[in-house]
Amino acid sequence: MISDHEDIGIGSFACAFGDVECKPDNIPDFEALWETVSFGTDFAEMGCTTYRKMSGPVEEYVVDAVRRTLRDAGASAADIDHIVFATSDPTLARLPSDFAGRVLLAVGLDDCVPHVVSFQRCCSSLTALRHGHELFSDPEVTHVVVVAVDFVPHDRDRVLSYAVFGDAAVSCLLTRDDPGLVRLVSCAVKVDPDGLRGRDSFISRKNVADRTLAAVLRAGDRQLGQIAKVFAANLHKPLTLFNGTSVGLLPDTLHFVETLAAYGHCGNADWMINLIDYHERFGIRSGDTYLAQSLAPGFYACGLFEGSAR
Amino acid sequence: MGADDYRHKFAEFLATQPMGGDLTYEQIVRAQSREELGISSLNMIIVLLNYIKEYANGTVTVRPEWVPQLNDVDGIVSVLREIDASAVVPARS
């Protein structure tokens, strides 16, 4: 997909992490749990020292993030035409059936249509952003909120060989005729059928990654070497470095280490968390090209962004 | 060093890794596939990055064309040779 709406700015990102800071090794029987899932790897190599847990209902964190997005943008609830929720498949099954309604009522989104994008595991939020972008084909649409949310109710389910899962809700605002922080250049998600069958391999994972990256670069008329920074997924640190370099991305372009250490893998919200963290530390630069990258068994997603002139 | 020497070097290095402790030297030298050795893909990545750290002082970056070679022992050995050949610092023997 290439962006047909160059006048749509994306900005006012806001994170609501789980309010309780936890250490993985404080999970009861952590050593035995890690031995069960780890294939003999040393947990210290993971690169995650803490994660955040939501102690209250998930919609409270979503509402908090959306309110902060609107406040930052100087937008009112009445301005918002659509809200697109993105979540991984397991979290979708955990959301209450009246989740969207509760969020709309709490924020006061009285003339706003809710949507949900899922079934693409941790790649769902990039597709949600693309969907939110496409809603601007209606000339009357001026503001769309996109929210990525993921959480895990039971601590023992947070620990897998490739990640420690944390809880977070992250929102951003797409606005017509506003530069925002970035604009979407191109976006793609591709499927690895071997991954869907649980038989993914180095070859199948590299194949889907190569196809996806090539698609966004081609659609965006960019070269790999033009990517200034990559907002990666917060998976096991060596795995994330390997995943990047295996498609030709340089290790020092990957931005994920600090947020992985503090928050773990927040499902489909990772690339947004890393974009925010990078902007706070270094600043998104006008005209630079940025890559958001998400992956999960069976899926790979990329989004190319350009820093907006502000 | 020839291919056989690199098989031995791989076996010796694997023995120093946490996940390689249960494998005998003979198993490693005779194995054809990574699967035979019970090395998961995550473990293979960790072994590869640790090898780069140990023998190339972290100066070598994983190349995309190495990835498909990491499923069999001959391929892994070939990658280790390329790492040594690419190292900015002299490779340790």
Side-chain angles (χ1 to χ4, degrees):
Chain A
M1 166 263 188
I2 186 163
S3 170
D4 291 327
H5 304 288
E6 296 205 349
D7 55 340
I8 311 302
I10 305 168
S12 298
F13 286 85
C15 279
F17 292 106
D19 51 311
V20 183
E21 186 179 271
C22 306
K23 291 185 176 175
D25 41 11
N26 287 345
I27 294 172
D29 297 323
F30 176 76
E31 283 185 18
L33 175 62
W34 179 246
E35 201 172 318
T36 307
V37 301
S38 67
F39 303 111
T41 55
D42 180 358
F43 179 72
E45 302 210 54
M46 174 78 75
C48 173
T49 50
T50 57
Y51 64 87
R52 299 294 191 86
K53 177 160 67 175
M54 293 178 179
S55 65
V58 60
E59 59 267 27
E60 288 181 7
Y61 303 85
V62 172
V63 166
D64 177 34
V66 173
R67 281 183 177 146
R68 285 196 278 131
T69 284
L70 298 191
R71 194 161 53 239
D72 180 79
S76 74
D79 294 330
I80 309 304
D81 303 295
H82 296 270
I83 184 166
V84 185
F85 300 103
T87 192
S88 64
D89 312 23
T91 304
L92 179 67
R94 294 177 196 127
L95 292 176
S97 58
D98 58 350
F99 169 78
R102 287 195 213 177
V103 173
L104 295 182
L105 291 174
V107 181
L109 298 169
D110 294 335
D111 192 17
C112 172
V113 181
H115 308 242
V116 66
V117 174
S118 187
F119 293 151
Q120 296 169 22
R121 305 187 70 159
C122 295
C123 297
S124 300
S125 57
L126 277 166
T127 301
L129 188 75
R130 172 178 172 168
H131 176 63
H133 212 266
E134 288 169 351
L135 291 169
F136 285 87
S137 59
D138 176 350
E140 293 191 356
V141 169
T142 59
H143 295 78
V144 175
V145 171
V146 174
V147 187
V149 58
D150 264 308
F151 67 100
V152 178
H154 304 296
D155 282 343
R156 291 182 68 79
D157 296 334
R158 295 180 183 280
V159 183
L160 292 175
S161 62
Y162 61 87
V164 172
F165 286 73
D167 301 344
V170 186
S171 63
C172 65
L173 184 65
L174 282 60
T175 311
R176 194 190 294 280
D177 297 326
D178 184 286
L181 180 63
V182 292
R183 74 172 185 88
L184 183 64
V185 174
S186 57
C187 189
V189 59
K190 304 272 183 193
V191 175
D192 168 17
D194 287 343
L196 293 179
R197 295 185 185 99
R199 296 206 300 259
D200 51 314
S201 63
F202 279 123
I203 293 171
S204 75
R205 289 190 293 267
K206 178 166 164 48
N207 180 283
V208 71
D210 283 339
R211 287 188 291 122
T212 315
L213 187 56
V216 290
L217 290 171
R218 191 169 53 246
D221 194 23
R222 301 288 205 282
Q223 304 295 316
L224 195 64
Q226 289 177 272
I227 296 171
K229 199 55 70 176
V230 180
F231 307 123
N234 288 354
L235 304 177
H236 191 287
K237 186 177 167 187
L239 177 62
T240 303
L241 291 168
F242 178 86
N243 286 337
T245 52
S246 70
V247 293
L249 299 166
L250 296 174
D252 61 2
T253 62
L254 303 180
H255 187 77
F256 75 103
V257 174
E258 292 83 2
T259 59
L260 166 63
Y263 309 116
H265 171 44
C266 298
N268 81 136
D270 280 355
W271 71 266
M272 298 169 82
I273 292 167
N274 286 327
L275 187 154
I276 297 165
D277 185 76
Y278 180 79
H279 182 56
E280 287 174 356
R281 290 173 191 268
F282 307 105
I284 295 286
R285 290 165 54 129
S286 169
D288 277 3
T289 299
Y290 300 94
L291 177 74
Q293 177 203 38
S294 298
L295 64 156
F299 297 95
Y300 197 98
C302 288
L304 266 189
F305 299 89
E306 185 176 288
S308 301
R310 293 176 72 84
Chain B
M1 277 203 291
D4 283 346
D5 296 323
Y6 263 95
R7 274 197 167 243
H8 283 88
K9 187 175 182 183
F10 176 51
E12 284 167 8
F13 185 70
L14 210 48
T16 68
Q17 300 295 297
M19 71 295 283
D22 295 336
L23 292 166
T24 66
Y25 182 77
E26 287 72 24
Q27 277 177 304
I28 295 168
V29 170
R30 284 185 198 144
Q32 297 300 307
S33 71
R34 176 170 57 80
E35 197 176 9
E36 275 176 65
L37 296 173
I39 301 174
S40 70
S41 58
L42 179 58
N43 272 331
M44 187 63 238
I45 291 167
I46 293 170
V47 167
L48 186 69
L49 297 183
N50 284 347
Y51 186 91
I52 290 173
K53 209 182 292 175
E54 177 83 12
Y55 287 98
N57 203 21
T59 57
V60 173
T61 300
V62 172
R63 293 183 193 157
E65 63 269 25
W66 292 348
V67 176
Q69 298 184 60
L70 299 175
N71 284 335
D72 64 78
V73 177
D74 283 342
I76 294 165
V77 164
S78 165
V79 168
L80 300 188
R81 291 180 78 164
E82 289 196 50
I83 291 169
D84 285 355
S86 311
V88 174
V89 292
R92 288 175 42 184
S93 58

